[in-house]
C-alpha cells in the first residue's frame, strides 16, 4: 500500500452520527449482560468516499455506547468468531507478540487475527481487564493469560466517561485503527442530581484521524512506524461532520480515540457578520468523577484551549443560547507528533545537531519516516446553531455549578516513590522503539505495589515526544509538573535553567487515568492501588509507542490473601457490597 493523501472530501456536508446506547442482551443473576460481536463490515465515512471495510463492535465505528451504573456490575462477552483469519492490515512480525518466540512460557500458535477487549479506566480484576496477552482468535486459540470470556465490570468507582477498545499484543494499533473502539460510561445518582444536559443533549464526540485510499479503504503503513497520523478528521465515524444544535446548553463527552494524534481544541466563529465571539467550553470532568471546579476554556478562561492526548477524555458543557443562527468550527492547533505544544516543525529540538526536519527527521524515526510528512488537522467539525429551541432548557447553568467533592489519593500517604523514565532508540530491525525504564514488556516485573497502598510515580520525559501515560485499574491524582531540562525555547523557563514546578493544570484536578508527560518534564502522580491484586499494565497510550515497546506490568500484591475482600467479586458479580470509596 502506497502512503499518500486521502481523496479530497468536502467538509461539513454530512451530519454528525450519534452512537446509540447498547441495550443489554440479557440479565442473569440481576446482572446486565452484553453480548458484543466484532464484525468485519462496511462503513460510510463520507458521502463522496466509497464504503470502507472496518472492524467494529456490533459492526459499528465507533462501537455502541456501553453504559453501566455506579455500583452495578455489568458483564460483557465479546465474540470475534465471525472475523476472517486474515487481518485487514499488514501485520509486521518484527513487533513483539506476533510470533510464538515472543512469548515467555507459551508455545502455542499465534494466529494473525486476535482480539482482547479492554475496558479503559475501570477498577476491575485482572482476568476481566482485557489485557494484551488475553487474546483469542476467531477459531478459539487463546493467549497465555486469557482466563475468561465473560468480562465482569464491577463499576464500583466514580462516574466515568471512557472507552472500551482492543488491546491485543502486537495488534493493538491495527485493531484500533480498523475500528475497535467505543464509548463506555458509568452513570451515578450524584451526577443525575447535578441536572446536566442529558438525553439527546448529552453527546459523545469520538475523535479519530484516518487516511483513506481512493477506493475508500483505510490506509495504514505496512511496516511499523512509531507515529501514525491520518489526514482526515473523523468524529463518531464521519469525516468532518456538522452538528446542528439548538440555542441551549449541551453536554459533550469528548473522547480522543486516535492512535497517536493529540488535539488542542477550540471554537472559531465562522460568521463574518456575527459578533465573532464563541461560547465558553466549561469542563466538568477529565473522565473520572468531577473536577475540583468547573474549568472555563476560551480566550479569557482558565485555559485557552482543550488538549487531549490519545484516550484522554473531557466532559464539557457548552451553552449556545446566545448564539442562535451562528456557525462554529471546532479547531485543532496541535502539531503532530505532539511535543507539548511547541512547534516541532521548525527545529525546536536541535541539540543533537541534526537537520531542522523536526520530528520527521532521520534520527527520530530511524530512517523509516523521512519523506512522510505528518498532516496537521486544523479543523475537526462544524456546529450550527438553530434559531430556536424545541423546548425550554432547564439544565444547570455551568457558571453556577458546584461539583461534588472528591477525595483522591493523598500524596502524603505515599511511602514508596518510583521513577519511570522514557527513552527512544532504534531496535535491531532498524525500527524506532520507545521504552519505559529501558525495559521491554516481557522483562521481569519490577513494580509491585501493595494492595491498598498509595505511591508516588514520577514520569521523566527526556524524549522529544509527549507520552500520554496510562495506568490500568486505578484513577490517579496529578501532583505536579516540573521542568527538569533547560530547553530555553520552552515558555516559562528561566535563563538560569532552574527547575520550574507547577501544579496540575486546572483540568487535571480530578480523577485521571492518562496523563501527558511533555518533553523535558517530570510529572508526578499519586496513586492508590485498590481494589484488586494481580498484574496490570501501564503504558504510553500512543498506540504505536505502546506496541513497541512502551508498556510494562505492575503487580498489585495482597500481603495476605485474606486481606483481599474483593476476591470473590468477580465470581459473584451480583453480590451486594457497600461502597468503600467516596469518589464522585
Ligand atoms: Cu486504554 Cu491499556 O489501555
Ligand atoms: Cu486502560
Ligand atoms: Cu509515547
Amino acid at each position: 500500500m502506497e502512503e499518500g493523501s486521502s481523496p479530497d472530501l468536502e467538509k461539513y456536508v454530512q451530519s454528525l452520527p450519534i452512537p446509540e446506547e447498547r441495550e443489554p442482551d440479557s440479565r442473569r443473576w440481576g446482572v446486565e449482560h452484553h453480548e458484543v460481536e466484532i464484525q468485519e463490515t462496511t462503513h460510510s465515512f463520507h458521502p463522496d468516499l466509497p464504503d470502507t471495510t472496518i472492524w467494529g463492535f456490533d459492526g459499528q465505528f465507533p462501537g455502541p455506547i456501553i453504559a453501566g451504573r455506579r455500583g452495578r456490575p455489568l458483564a460483557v462477552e465479546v465474540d470475534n468468531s465471525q472475523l476472517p483469519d486474515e487481518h485487514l492490515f499488514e501485520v509486521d512480525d518484527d513487533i513483539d507478540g506476533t510470533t510464538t518466540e515472543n512469548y515467555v512460557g507459551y508455545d502455542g500458535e499465534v494466529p494473525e487475527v486476535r482480539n482482547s477487549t479492554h475496558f479503559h479506566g475501570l477498577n476491575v480484576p485482572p482476568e476481566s481487564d482485557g489485557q494484551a496477552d488475553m487474546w483469542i482468535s476467531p477459531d478459539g486459540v487463546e493467549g497465555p493469560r486469557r482466563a475468561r470470556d465473560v468480562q465482569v465490570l464491577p463499576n464500583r468507582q466514580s462516574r466515568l466517561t471512557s472507552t472500551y477498545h482492543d488491546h491485543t499484543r502486537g495488534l493493538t494499533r491495527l485493531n484500533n485503527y480498523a475500528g475497535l473502539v467505543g464509548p463506555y460510561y458509568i452513570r451515578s445518582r450524584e451526577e443525575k442530581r447535578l441536572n446536566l444536559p442529558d438525553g439527546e443533549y448529552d453527546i459523545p464526540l469520538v475523535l479519530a484521524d484516518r487516511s483513506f485510499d481512493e477506493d475508500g479503504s483505510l490506509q495504514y503503513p505496512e511496516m511499523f512506524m512509531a507515529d501514525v497520523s491520518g489526514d482526515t478528521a473523523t468524529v463518531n465515524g464521519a469525516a468532518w461532520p456538522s452538528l446542528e444544535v439548538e440555542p441551549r446548553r449541551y453536554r459533550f463527552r469528548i473522547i480522543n480515540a486516535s492512535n497517536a494524534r493529540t488535539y488542542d481544541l477550540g471554537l472559531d466563529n465562522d460568521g463574518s457578520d456575527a459578533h465573532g465571539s464563541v461560547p465558553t467550553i466549561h469542563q466538568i470532568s477529565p473522565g473520572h468523577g468531577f473536577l475540583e471546579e468547573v474549568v472555563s476554556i476560551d480566550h479569557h478562561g482558565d485555559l485557552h484551549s482543550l488538549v487531549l492526548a490519545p484516550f484522554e477524555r473531557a466532559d464539557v458543557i457548552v451553552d449556545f443560547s446566545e448564539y442562535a443562527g451562528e456557525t462554529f468550527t471546532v479547531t485543532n492547533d496541535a502539531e503532530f507528533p505532539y511535543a507539548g505544544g511547541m512547534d516541532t516543525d521548525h527545529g525546536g529540538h536541535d541539540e543533537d545537531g541534526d537537520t531542522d526536519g523536526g520530528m520527521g527527521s532521520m534520527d527520530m524515526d530511524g530512517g523509516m519516516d523521512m519523506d512522510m510528512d505528518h498532516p496537521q488537522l486544523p479543523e475537526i467539525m462544524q456546529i450550527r446553531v438553530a434559531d430556536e429551541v424545541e423546548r425550554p432548557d432547564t439544565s444547570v447553568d455551568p457558571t453556577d455549578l458546584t461539583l461534588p467533592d472528591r477525595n483522591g489519593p493523598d500524596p502524603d500517604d505515599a511511602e514508596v516513590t518510583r521513577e519511570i523514565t522514557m527513552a527512544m532508540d532504534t531496535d535491531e530491525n532498524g525500527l524506532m522503539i520507545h521504552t519505559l525504564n529501558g525495559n521491554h514488556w516481557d522483562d521481569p516485573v519490577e513494580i509491585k505495589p501493595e494492595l491498598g497502598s498509595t505511591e508516588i510515580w514520577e514520569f521523566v520525559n527526556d524524549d522529544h515526544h509527549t507520552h500520554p501515560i496510562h495506568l490500568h485499574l486505578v484513577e490517579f491524582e496529578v501532583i505536579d509538573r516540573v521542568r527538569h531540562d533547560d530547553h530555553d525555547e520552552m515558555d516559562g523557563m528561566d535563563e538560569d535553567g532552574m527547575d520550574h514546578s507547577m501544579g496540575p493544570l486546572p483540568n487535571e484536578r480530578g480523577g485521571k487515568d492518562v496523563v501527558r508527560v511533555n518533553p523535558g518534564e517530570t510529572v508526578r502522580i499519586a496513586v492508590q492501588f485498590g481494589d484488586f491484586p494481580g498484574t496490570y499494565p501501564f503504558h504510553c497510550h500512543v498506540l504505536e509507542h505502546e506496541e513497541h515497546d512502551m508498556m510494562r506490568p505492575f503487580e498489585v500484591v495482597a500481603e495476605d490473601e485474606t486481606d483481599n475482600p474483593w476476591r470473590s467479586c468477580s465470581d459473584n458479580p451480583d453480590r451486594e457490597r457497600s461502597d468503600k470509596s467516596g469518589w464522585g
Side-chain angles (χ1 to χ4, degrees):
M1 187 175 12
E2 192 59 63
E3 302 320 313
S5 41
S6 302
D8 256 327
L9 298 172
E10 203 183 331
K11 297 189 172 90
Y12 321 133
V13 294
Q14 58 179 330
S15 50
L16 177 81
I18 297 174
E20 294 208 337
E21 190 165 324
R22 205 176 186 285
E23 289 295 327
D25 297 278
S26 63
R27 209 173 289 264
R28 295 175 219 165
W29 322 294
V31 175
E32 293 182 345
H33 274 241
H34 288 270
E35 286 159 37
V36 180
E37 201 172 272
I38 297 181
Q39 292 164 3
E40 178 172 297
T41 180
T42 55
H43 174 88
S44 172
F45 279 94
H46 191 278
D48 298 334
L49 186 72
D51 279 357
T52 303
T53 301
I54 61 152
W55 289 359
F57 293 109
D58 285 347
Q60 295 165 34
F61 174 67
I65 299 164
I66 299 182
R69 278 192 290 158
R70 186 178 179 202
R72 298 275 189 96
L74 272 191
V76 184
E77 183 165 9
V78 179
D79 173 6
N80 67 348
S81 61
Q82 297 308 307
L83 281 185
D85 52 12
E86 252 180 59
H87 208 284
L88 212 49
F89 305 115
E90 202 60 44
V91 174
D92 188 335
D93 57 21
D94 283 338
I95 299 304
D96 273 5
T98 51
T99 61
T100 303
E101 305 82 76
N102 298 149
Y103 291 83
V104 173
Y106 174 78
D107 52 15
E109 219 193 312
V110 181
E112 179 170 311
V113 174
R114 295 167 286 125
N115 296 95
S116 175
T117 305
H118 170 57
F119 292 80
H120 176 122
L122 291 199
N123 176 8
V124 70
E127 61 275 16
S128 286
D129 193 32
Q131 299 177 9
D133 292 338
M134 297 180 182
W135 44 260
I136 187 166
S137 74
D139 54 7
V141 180
E142 294 190 357
R145 290 194 63 226
R146 190 176 179 88
R148 56 191 310 150
D149 291 329
V150 178
Q151 291 169 254
V152 179
L153 315 172
N155 294 327
R156 204 167 294 283
Q157 60 187 99
S158 333
R159 67 140 300 269
L160 180 75
T161 296
S162 190
T163 59
Y164 58 107
H165 65 84
D166 189 274
H167 212 305
T168 308
R169 189 156 173 232
L171 298 175
T172 301
R173 69 196 189 287
L174 304 174
N175 289 349
N176 275 269
Y177 199 84
L180 293 177
V181 54
Y184 186 87
Y185 300 168
I186 298 175
R187 299 201 168 94
S188 74
R189 252 173 287 163
E190 207 169 13
E191 175 182 30
K192 182 88 187 153
R193 275 197 294 266
L194 293 179
N195 190 27
L196 304 170
D198 70 355
E200 61 188 295
Y201 305 109
D202 172 0
I203 298 177
L205 301 175
V206 180
L207 312 184
D209 56 338
R210 292 292 185 271
S211 290
F212 302 95
D213 280 327
E214 289 294 332
D215 67 359
S217 57
L218 286 166
Q219 204 180 73
Y220 191 92
E222 277 186 21
M223 274 181 76
F224 176 80
M225 285 196 353
D227 294 284
V228 175
S229 61
D231 59 9
T232 304
T234 79
V235 186
N236 296 348
W240 289 297
S242 173
L243 171 67
E244 177 157 331
V245 298
E246 296 171 30
R248 52 155 291 149
R249 290 184 275 270
Y250 280 75
R251 174 183 189 175
F252 296 111
R253 307 188 194 223
I254 310 172
I255 297 171
N256 182 359
S258 306
N259 276 33
R261 185 180 290 278
T262 292
Y263 298 83
D264 186 353
L265 301 168
L267 289 171
D268 240 8
N269 190 317
D270 285 7
S272 44
D273 51 344
H275 49 86
S277 72
V278 297
T280 300
I281 297 169
H282 301 276
Q283 188 176 350
I284 57 170
S285 170
H288 295 263
F290 296 98
L291 288 165
E292 216 169 75
E293 290 178 345
V294 178
V295 171
S296 61
I297 304 173
D298 65 23
H299 292 304
H300 312 286
D302 302 323
L303 291 170
H304 294 172
S305 57
L306 173 62
V307 178
L308 290 179
F311 292 79
E312 282 193 300
R313 297 87 66 196
D315 281 64
V316 305
I317 298 173
V318 183
D319 188 348
F320 296 104
S321 58
E322 310 269 290
Y323 297 89
E326 296 190 39
T327 300
F328 303 101
T329 306
V330 178
T331 58
N332 165 35
D333 266 347
E335 73 275 11
F336 187 95
Y338 191 67
M342 291 172 302
D343 195 341
T344 55
D345 274 330
H346 302 289
H349 288 283
D350 241 354
E351 75 264 18
D352 302 318
D354 295 297
T355 60
D356 66 354
M359 294 294 119
S361 69
M362 180 84 154
D363 64 315
M364 304 301 295
D365 293 339
M368 299 304 305
D369 203 14
M370 271 185 72
D371 298 315
M372 179 69 187
D373 65 321
H374 290 295
Q376 309 302 305
L377 281 184
E379 284 134 19
I380 305 299
M381 64 178 284
Q382 187 183 65
I383 299 176
R384 292 190 204 126
V385 189
D387 290 328
E388 275 167 42
V389 289
E390 266 168 35
R391 61 189 86 107
D393 183 0
T394 57
S395 68
V396 66
D397 178 345
T399 59
D400 298 332
L401 178 60
T402 306
L403 296 172
D405 286 341
R406 71 181 287 277
N407 33 52
D410 181 351
D412 291 338
D413 293 340
E415 282 174 16
V416 176
T417 298
R418 300 183 198 268
E419 185 183 273
I420 289 133
T421 57
M422 296 154 199
M424 177 174 59
D425 207 340
T426 309
D427 74 4
E428 63 281 6
N429 299 304
L431 301 175
M432 181 172 170
I433 183 168
H434 294 86
T435 54
L436 295 166
N437 283 347
N439 292 321
H440 293 235
W441 170 240
D442 262 350
D443 290 327
V445 187
E446 48 175 12
I447 299 181
K448 298 189 177 178
E450 237 174 69
L451 182 67
S453 71
T454 300
E455 298 193 350
I456 293 173
W457 287 20
E458 300 182 349
F459 298 109
V460 183
N461 187 351
D462 286 317
D463 194 355
H464 302 266
H465 296 161
T466 295
H467 297 292
I469 301 293
H470 170 52
L471 275 68
H472 283 216
L473 176 70
V474 297
E475 62 184 276
F476 54 72
E477 191 86 8
V478 180
I479 305 171
D480 54 14
R481 299 175 165 274
V482 180
R483 292 261 158 82
H484 65 254
D485 68 356
D486 56 6
H487 287 283
D488 50 14
E489 63 272 32
M490 290 174 129
D491 291 337
M493 191 64 218
D494 270 354
E495 299 291 55
D496 60 13
M498 251 169 55
D499 275 354
H500 278 199
S501 167
M502 22 177 250
L505 297 169
N507 64 351
E508 291 177 325
R509 299 172 193 270
K512 296 272 295 169
D513 58 49
V514 180
V515 65
R516 300 185 303 276
V517 187
N518 295 313
E521 265 182 358
T522 296
V523 174
R524 297 197 305 152
I525 64 167
V527 47
Q528 188 182 12
F529 293 90
D531 285 332
F532 306 96
T535 304
Y536 298 86
F538 70 102
H539 56 86
C540 178
H541 223 301
V542 168
L543 299 182
E544 285 77 16
H545 295 184
E546 165 186 348
E547 203 111 84
H548 194 49
D549 204 16
M550 219 175 187
M551 176 163 75
R552 289 288 296 148
F554 64 87
E555 185 186 346
V556 181
V557 288
E559 247 189 293
D560 164 356
E561 269 303 295
T562 58
D563 265 10
N564 171 17
W566 305 95
R567 218 347 149 209
S568 58
C569 189
S570 56
D571 305 324
N572 221 352
D574 57 338
R575 185 189 285 189
E576 269 305 309
R577 287 175 192 286
S578 60
D579 259 359
K580 82 175 223 263
S581 94
W583 293 10

